[in-house]
């Protein structure tokens, strides 16, 4: 679609969390330009928190997140489905048209050209003719397709997907995975939080194994070795109320 | 056939029916003023209520309305029954409670609803105490329940000004506000000034509550804001249509409520809010979007 250079993301000793308790602890590394990375780890490992940090929706306690090759406005973020109010009275057209925000902003009209682009994006995700449908009447899979149509229109260099295939039907998951592969072919940098190891092994060349701290990051086959996964499973899930101030902060 | 002849033929039929409806407004200036005031208020407050409802902040409107009271009471103490003093006092107190409770929620373990409840209970008590110690009980009733039948020119101009400001500001922040309600993360990642839209919106809520309090009183002002919005949710499937339905329900409730108060000799604020409550009950039963009727007896399914 666009020939802009691919963007990289550098994490420099990043600590992210809520209420002083870190959910992601001292993470350093780099998502290479045009890479396709799966973020995996047990529940509470800080996967979604990391994505929010990269999207700029959460400020790190410590360290730096640098986007190289584009601005934060060029980062598109797909939230988990339960972050979206599905009873909200809004049509599919209006939701998908938000993907054009950078062009239309808060005041621009959604003109005929914009409508045509929304139509094309909906067709690309298999939702032709759904423009007037309120989102409350969509199935979970259909809503996810609509949100992918919005991502298509955002045309971003960096795409962050938080559990994009959770709780949707296999056909939709396969279609959307094709779309992700297409974006990968267009040298977009993609980071996805995933649970299904089969999908990760088969379709994601890079993997980042997270259990609050970094356990492994690299080629998927290497990063997801049995001993690494075992270490991730042993992660202490407990939230220590009397945790000491982290000493590594000074290091 | 000339108009006079039509009048002559039709009047015996229409006249008696229209009499109770048009009569009070034709006959009494204070009823006309009340009508203008209430229609203006409904047109501006109902859209604000729609956004409160969509943001799941319905009760926050209530809390802020109570918070307006001590401000108005202090204004009343300083300057007597002065429109300007009570308006400014109400606005300052309403905004202060909104901002303070937000700050407390961020700085402590209390959630925003808990800190709002605490602040508005304190300010309601302070307001009632101030008015009862320093004013007569009639004054207290007037502040609590408004005086729509005694709206003077200055009050009408204030209501009109608030409505105008509301329309202009809502038009300016409409899209960011809708997205902020529906998918705030998205707005933040595209840099869509969600916080500015939210703060502007809070100011609009306080403005409309202060306007509403002059006409309907602090306790009833939220009614004309929230009930039409709640009713509209059961008829409309998009935000803009919900705004239109809410404004229409608010306007109709104002007219019907004023007539009810005239004929049944009721205070007008409660009468208007009761009629709006009736519209809400009807919508719950008969609405086209997720009402009882639909959920109890789903329509036959379509072919595709």
């Amino acid at each position: 679609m666009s020939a802009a250079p691919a963007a990289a993301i550098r994490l420099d000793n990043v600590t992210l969390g809520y209420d002083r308790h870190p959910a992601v602890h001292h993470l350093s590394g780099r998502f290479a330009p045009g890479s396709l990375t799966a973020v995996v780890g047990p529940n509470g490992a800080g996967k979604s928190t990391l994505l929010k940090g990269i999207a700029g929706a959460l400020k790190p306690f410590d360290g730096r997140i640098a986007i190289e090759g584009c601005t934060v406005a060029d980062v598109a973020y797909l939230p988990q489905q339960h972050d979206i109010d599905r009873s909200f009275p809004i049509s599919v057209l209006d939701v998908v048209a938000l993907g054009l925000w950078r062009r239309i902003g808060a005041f621009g009209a959604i003109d005929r050209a914009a409508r045509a682009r929304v139509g094309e994006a909906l067709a690309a995700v298999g939702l032709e003719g759904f423009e007037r449908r309120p989102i409350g009447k969509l199935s979970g899979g259909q809503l996810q397709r609509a949100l992918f149509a919005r991502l298509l229109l955002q045309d971003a260099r960096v795409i962050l997907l938080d559990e994009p295939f959770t709780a949707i039907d296999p056909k939709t998951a396969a279609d959307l995975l094709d779309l992700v592969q297409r974006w990968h072919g267009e040298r977009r940098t993609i980071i996805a939080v995933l649970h299904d190891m089969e999908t990760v092994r088969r379709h994601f060349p890079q993997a980042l194994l997270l259990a609050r701290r970094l356990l492994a990051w690299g080629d998927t086959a290497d990063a997801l070795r049995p001993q690494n996964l075992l270490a991730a499973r042993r992660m202490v899930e407990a939230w220590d109320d009397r945790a000491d101030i982290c000493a590594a902060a000074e290091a | 056939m000339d108009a006079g002849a039509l009048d002559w033929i039709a009047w015996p039929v229409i006249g008696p029916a229209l009499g109770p409806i048009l009569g009070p407004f034709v006959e009494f200036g204070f009823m006309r003023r009340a009508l203008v005031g209430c229609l203006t208020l409904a047109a501006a407050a109902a859209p604000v209520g729609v956004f409160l409802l969509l943001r799941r902040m319905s009760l926050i409107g209530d809390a802020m309305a109570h918070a307006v009271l001590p401000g108005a009471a202090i204004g009343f103490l300083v300057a007597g029954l002065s429109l300007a003093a009570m308006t400014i006092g109400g606005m300052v107190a309403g905004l202060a409670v909104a901002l303070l409770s937000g700050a407390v929620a961020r700085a402590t373990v209390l959630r925003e609803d808990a800190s709002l409840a605490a602040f508005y209970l304190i300010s309601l008590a302070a307001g009632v105490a101030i008015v009862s110690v320093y004013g007569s009980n009639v004054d207290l009733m007037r502040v609590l329940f408004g005086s729509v039948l005694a709206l003077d020119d200055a009050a009408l101009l204030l209501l009109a000004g608030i409505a105008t400001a509301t329309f202009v500001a809502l038009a300016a922040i409409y899209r960011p506000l809708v997205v902020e309600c529906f998918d705030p993360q998205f707005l933040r990642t595209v840099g869509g000034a969600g916080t500015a839209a939210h703060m502007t919106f809070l100011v609009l809520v306080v403005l409309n509550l202060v306007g509403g309090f002059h006409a309907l009183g602090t306790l009833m002002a939220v009614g004309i804001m929230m009930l039409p919005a709640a009713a509209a949710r059961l008829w409309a499937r998009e935000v803009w249509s919900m705004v239109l339905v809410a404004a229409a329900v608010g306007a109709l409730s104002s007219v019907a409520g004023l007539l009810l108060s005239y004929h049944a000799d009721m205070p007008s604020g409660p009468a208007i809010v009761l009629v709006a409550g009736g519209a809400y009950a009807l919508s719950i039963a008969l609405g086209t979007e997720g009402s009882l009727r639909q959920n109890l007896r789903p329509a036959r399914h379509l072919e595709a």
Side-chain angles (χ1 to χ4, degrees), chain B residues 143-180:
Chain B
V143 172
L144 285 179
F145 298 111
S147 50
V148 71
L149 299 181
L151 289 175
D152 55 12
D153 282 351
L156 281 186
L157 281 175
L158 177 74
L159 286 177
I162 287 174
T164 309
T166 304
F167 293 146
V168 173
L170 266 189
I173 62 172
Y174 183 81
R175 192 177 285 164
L177 196 59
V178 169
V179 185
E180 170 85 4

Coordinates of all heavy atoms in Angstrom, one line a residue, chain B residues 143-180:
Chain B
V143 N -34.7 27.5 46.2 CA -33.5 27.0 45.7 C -33.5 25.5 45.4 O -33.0 25.1 44.3 CB -32.3 27.3 46.7 CG1 -31.1 26.7 46.2 CG2 -32.1 28.8 46.8
L144 N -34.2 24.8 46.2 CA -34.3 23.3 46.0 C -35.2 23.0 44.8 O -34.9 22.1 44.1 CB -34.8 22.6 47.3 CG -33.8 22.5 48.4 CD1 -34.4 21.8 49.6 CD2 -32.6 21.8 48.0
F145 N -36.3 23.7 44.7 CA -37.3 23.3 43.7 C -37.5 24.3 42.6 O -38.3 24.1 41.7 CB -38.6 23.0 44.4 CG -38.5 21.9 45.3 CD1 -38.7 22.1 46.7 CD2 -38.3 20.6 44.9 CE1 -38.5 21.0 47.6 CE2 -38.2 19.5 45.8 CZ -38.3 19.8 47.1
G146 N -36.7 25.4 42.6 CA -36.8 26.3 41.5 C -38.0 27.2 41.4 O -38.9 27.1 42.3
S147 N -38.1 28.0 40.4 CA -39.3 28.9 40.4 C -39.5 29.2 38.9 O -39.4 30.3 38.4 CB -38.9 30.2 41.1 OG -37.7 30.7 40.6
V148 N -39.9 28.2 38.2 CA -40.1 28.3 36.7 C -41.2 29.3 36.4 O -41.2 29.9 35.4 CB -40.4 27.0 36.1 CG1 -41.8 26.5 36.4 CG2 -40.2 27.0 34.6
L149 N -42.2 29.5 37.3 CA -43.2 30.5 37.1 C -42.9 31.9 37.4 O -43.7 32.8 37.2 CB -44.5 30.0 37.8 CG -45.0 28.6 37.5 CD1 -46.3 28.3 38.3 CD2 -45.3 28.5 36.0
A150 N -41.6 32.1 37.9 CA -41.2 33.5 38.2 C -39.9 33.8 37.4 O -39.0 34.5 38.0 CB -41.0 33.6 39.7
L151 N -39.8 33.3 36.2 CA -38.5 33.6 35.4 C -38.6 35.0 34.9 O -39.6 35.4 34.2 CB -38.4 32.6 34.3 CG -38.0 31.2 34.6 CD1 -38.1 30.3 33.4 CD2 -36.7 31.1 35.3
D152 N -37.6 35.8 35.3 CA -37.6 37.2 34.7 C -36.8 37.3 33.4 O -36.2 36.3 33.0 CB -37.1 38.2 35.8 CG -35.8 37.9 36.3 OD1 -35.1 37.0 35.7 OD2 -35.4 38.4 37.3
D153 N -36.7 38.5 32.9 CA -35.9 38.6 31.6 C -34.5 38.1 31.7 O -34.0 37.4 30.9 CB -36.0 40.1 31.1 CG -37.3 40.4 30.5 OD1 -38.1 39.5 30.3 OD2 -37.5 41.6 30.3
A154 N -33.9 38.5 32.8 CA -32.5 38.2 33.0 C -32.3 36.7 33.1 O -31.4 36.1 32.4 CB -31.9 38.8 34.3
A155 N -33.2 36.0 33.8 CA -33.1 34.5 33.9 C -33.3 33.9 32.5 O -32.6 32.9 32.1 CB -34.1 34.0 34.9
L156 N -34.3 34.4 31.7 CA -34.5 33.8 30.4 C -33.3 34.0 29.5 O -32.9 33.1 28.7 CB -35.7 34.5 29.7 CG -37.1 34.0 30.2 CD1 -38.2 34.6 29.4 CD2 -37.2 32.5 30.1
L157 N -32.7 35.2 29.6 CA -31.5 35.5 28.8 C -30.3 34.6 29.2 O -29.6 34.0 28.3 CB -31.0 37.0 29.0 CG -31.8 38.0 28.1 CD1 -31.4 39.4 28.5 CD2 -31.7 37.7 26.6
L158 N -30.2 34.3 30.5 CA -29.2 33.4 31.0 C -29.4 32.0 30.4 O -28.5 31.4 29.9 CB -29.2 33.3 32.5 CG -28.2 32.3 33.1 CD1 -26.8 32.9 33.0 CD2 -28.6 32.0 34.5
L159 N -30.7 31.5 30.4 CA -31.0 30.2 29.9 C -30.7 30.1 28.4 O -30.1 29.2 27.9 CB -32.5 29.9 30.1 CG -32.8 29.5 31.6 CD1 -34.3 29.3 31.7 CD2 -32.1 28.2 32.0
A160 N -31.0 31.2 27.7 CA -30.8 31.3 26.2 C -29.3 31.3 26.0 O -28.8 30.6 25.1 CB -31.4 32.5 25.6
G161 N -28.5 32.0 26.8 CA -27.1 32.1 26.6 C -26.4 30.7 26.9 O -25.6 30.3 26.1
I162 N -26.9 30.0 27.9 CA -26.3 28.7 28.2 C -26.6 27.7 27.1 O -25.8 26.9 26.7 CB -26.9 28.2 29.6 CG1 -26.3 29.0 30.7 CG2 -26.7 26.7 29.7 CD1 -26.9 28.7 32.1
A163 N -27.9 27.8 26.6 CA -28.2 26.9 25.5 C -27.3 27.2 24.3 O -26.8 26.2 23.6 CB -29.7 27.1 25.1
T164 N -27.1 28.4 23.9 CA -26.3 28.8 22.8 C -24.9 28.2 23.0 O -24.3 27.6 22.1 CB -26.3 30.3 22.6 OG1 -27.6 30.8 22.6 CG2 -25.6 30.7 21.3
A165 N -24.3 28.5 24.1 CA -23.0 28.0 24.4 C -22.9 26.5 24.3 O -21.9 26.0 23.8 CB -22.5 28.5 25.8
T166 N -23.9 25.8 24.8 CA -24.0 24.4 24.8 C -23.9 23.9 23.4 O -23.2 22.9 23.0 CB -25.2 23.9 25.5 OG1 -25.2 24.4 26.9 CG2 -25.2 22.3 25.6
F167 N -24.8 24.5 22.5 CA -24.9 24.0 21.1 C -23.5 24.2 20.4 O -23.0 23.3 19.8 CB -25.9 24.7 20.3 CG -27.3 24.4 20.8 CD1 -28.3 25.4 20.8 CD2 -27.6 23.2 21.3 CE1 -29.6 25.1 21.2 CE2 -28.9 22.9 21.7 CZ -29.9 23.8 21.7
V168 N -22.9 25.4 20.6 CA -21.6 25.6 19.9 C -20.6 24.7 20.4 O -19.8 24.0 19.6 CB -21.2 27.1 20.1 CG1 -19.8 27.3 19.6 CG2 -22.2 28.0 19.5
A169 N -20.5 24.6 21.7 CA -19.4 23.7 22.3 C -19.6 22.3 22.0 O -18.6 21.5 21.6 CB -19.3 23.9 23.8
L170 N -20.8 21.8 22.0 CA -21.1 20.4 21.7 C -20.7 20.1 20.2 O -20.2 19.0 19.9 CB -22.6 20.0 21.9 CG -22.9 19.4 23.3 CD1 -24.4 18.9 23.3 CD2 -22.0 18.2 23.7
A171 N -21.1 21.0 19.4 CA -20.7 20.8 18.0 C -19.2 20.7 17.8 O -18.7 19.9 17.0 CB -21.3 22.0 17.1
A172 N -18.5 21.6 18.6 CA -17.0 21.6 18.5 C -16.4 20.3 19.0 O -15.4 19.8 18.4 CB -16.4 22.8 19.2
I173 N -16.9 19.7 20.1 CA -16.3 18.5 20.6 C -17.0 17.2 20.3 O -16.7 16.2 20.9 CB -16.1 18.7 22.2 CG1 -17.5 18.7 22.8 CG2 -15.3 19.9 22.6 CD1 -17.5 18.7 24.3
Y174 N -18.0 17.3 19.4 CA -18.9 16.1 19.2 C -18.1 14.9 18.9 O -18.2 13.9 19.6 CB -19.8 16.5 18.1 CG -20.9 15.4 17.8 CD1 -22.0 15.3 18.6 CD2 -20.7 14.5 16.8 CE1 -22.9 14.3 18.4 CE2 -21.6 13.5 16.5 CZ -22.7 13.4 17.3 OH -23.6 12.4 17.1
R175 N -17.2 14.9 17.9 CA -16.6 13.7 17.4 C -15.6 13.1 18.5 O -15.7 11.9 18.8 CB -15.9 13.9 16.1 CG -15.5 12.5 15.4 CD -14.9 12.7 14.1 NE -15.9 13.0 13.0 CZ -15.6 13.5 11.8 NH1 -14.4 13.7 11.5 NH2 -16.6 13.7 11.0
P176 N -14.7 14.0 19.0 CA -13.9 13.4 20.1 C -14.6 12.9 21.3 O -14.3 11.9 21.8 CB -13.0 14.7 20.5 CG -13.1 15.6 19.4 CD -14.4 15.3 18.7
L177 N -15.7 13.5 21.6 CA -16.5 13.1 22.7 C -17.2 11.7 22.5 O -17.1 10.8 23.3 CB -17.6 14.1 23.1 CG -18.3 14.0 24.4 CD1 -17.2 14.2 25.5 CD2 -19.3 15.1 24.6
V178 N -17.7 11.5 21.3 CA -18.3 10.2 20.9 C -17.2 9.2 21.0 O -17.4 8.1 21.6 CB -18.9 10.3 19.5 CG1 -19.3 8.9 19.1 CG2 -20.1 11.2 19.5
V179 N -16.1 9.4 20.4 CA -15.0 8.4 20.4 C -14.5 8.2 21.8 O -14.2 7.0 22.2 CB -13.9 8.8 19.5 CG1 -12.8 7.7 19.4 CG2 -14.4 9.1 18.1
E180 N -14.4 9.2 22.6 CA -13.9 9.1 24.0 C -14.9 8.2 24.8 O -14.5 7.5 25.7 CB -13.8 10.5 24.6 CG -13.6 10.6 26.1 CD -12.2 10.4 26.5 OE1 -11.3 10.4 25.7 OE2 -11.9 10.4 27.8

